[in-house]
Amino acid sequence: MGLEMLDWLLIGLIAATVIFLVLFLAYLIRFFFTSRKLSVLKRKRPKKKKNRRKWAGQVKKMEKKKKGAVKLFLFFLLLGGLCGGGGYYLKYYQMTNLADKDKEALVQGYFLMTTIEEQLNEAATTDSPKRVQGTVYDLSARLASYGATTPDGRLSKDGYLLLKRLYQSMKELGLVLTSVTEESIQNPESIEEYMGDIEKTKAHQKNVLEHFRIDESSLKQDN
């Protein structure tokens, strides 16, 4: 179930919680008023025997009304609690799970960095540095574009900041790697610097994976 669907479900649960709590309060108030009336009625027990039957009927009717109010306010309290608990869980779920666009950016970022690493490792032995440079440029441009993604605002503060740092790092890495030239791609020192930059971004990626309890192997399967 997507987070957008959960938004509507959360709104429905919140609305239901409010309605049930209002009904709970209404029947709770009714219970107290009925109890008060019953208490007053019991103190007015008729002395004449012929009036006691009518009085007993009124007491019985009032007690039945009181029991009905008790059942209803407990029923609506239970429903309000269930809906409120469900709403709380859904809100927690939204705060601790990635939206589809963030999942896509994370998977694609992983794929792009892995492929760029492979290309850079190949650069030392390739007889076509121009081809490698072109591939790295294209992949890096895509990486920079995913780095412009804004994290979902429904995430927790910590999750939002971790994801924002990753996106910023992806963007900066992509911009750096788009400047790769045929000459630099054949320079071992330059390659080492590029690899170091990739490792920094992967460190942010690792923090995100750990925070959202995502298995790295699942990213490989999604590609």
Side-chain angles (χ1 to χ4, degrees), residues 98 102 151 155 159-167 208 212:
L98 296 177
D102 289 320
L155 293 172
Y160 182 91
L161 290 176
L162 285 172
L163 207 53
K164 187 175 182 180
R165 291 191 193 105
L166 172 60
Y167 289 160
V208 170
F212 290 102

Side-chain angles (χ1 to χ4, degrees), residues 191-210:
I191 295 296
E192 187 176 350
E193 289 181 10
Y194 297 145
M195 289 297 194
D197 291 333
I198 292 174
E199 287 302 318
K200 291 177 183 177
T201 302
K202 288 175 72 175
H204 290 297
Q205 185 182 70
K206 182 180 179 181
N207 291 335
V208 170
L209 294 178
E210 290 177 348

Side-chain angles (χ1 to χ4, degrees), residues 145-156:
S145 68
Y146 273 105
T149 305
T150 301
D152 192 284
R154 292 166 293 191
L155 293 172
S156 66

Side-chain angles (χ1 to χ4, degrees), residues 19-148:
I19 292 172
F20 289 140
L21 289 180
V22 168
L23 290 171
F24 158 72
L25 290 174
Y27 280 102
L28 182 62
I29 292 171
R30 183 178 180 180
F31 165 76
F32 282 120
F33 274 108
T34 303
S35 297
R36 186 176 179 183
K37 287 182 180 180
L38 181 61
S39 179
V40 172
L41 182 62
K42 284 183 175 181
R43 288 200 297 267
K44 292 182 178 181
R45 187 172 184 272
K47 293 181 180 180
K48 293 182 179 182
K49 189 175 182 180
K50 63 178 182 179
N51 293 330
R52 288 179 187 171
R53 183 176 295 179
K54 182 179 179 181
W55 170 83
Q58 291 176 332
V59 169
K60 188 175 182 180
K61 184 178 179 180
M62 195 72 70
E63 286 178 338
K64 186 177 180 181
K65 191 175 180 181
K66 178 183 175 182
K67 289 180 181 178
V70 170
K71 290 179 180 179
L72 285 171
F73 85 66
L74 288 176
F75 175 69
F76 287 121
L77 177 61
L78 176 62
L79 288 180
L82 289 174
C83 289
Y88 176 82
Y89 172 78
L90 285 182
K91 183 63 178 175
Y92 175 80
Y93 181 87
Q94 289 182 322
M95 292 173 65
T96 56
N97 287 269
L98 296 177
D100 289 341
K101 69 181 183 68
D102 289 320
K103 288 179 182 177
E104 181 184 359
L106 188 61
V107 170
Q108 289 300 316
Y110 181 88
F111 166 72
L112 292 170
M113 283 192 287
T114 301
T115 308
I116 290 171
E117 273 190 303
E118 293 172 354
Q119 290 294 313
L120 292 176
N121 285 326
E122 183 184 332
T125 57
T126 185
D127 56 358
S128 181
K130 184 176 182 179
R131 178 188 59 78
V132 174
Q133 184 271 334
T135 302
V136 169
Y137 178 87
D138 291 340
L139 295 173
S140 301
R142 288 174 59 190
L143 184 65
S145 68
Y146 273 105

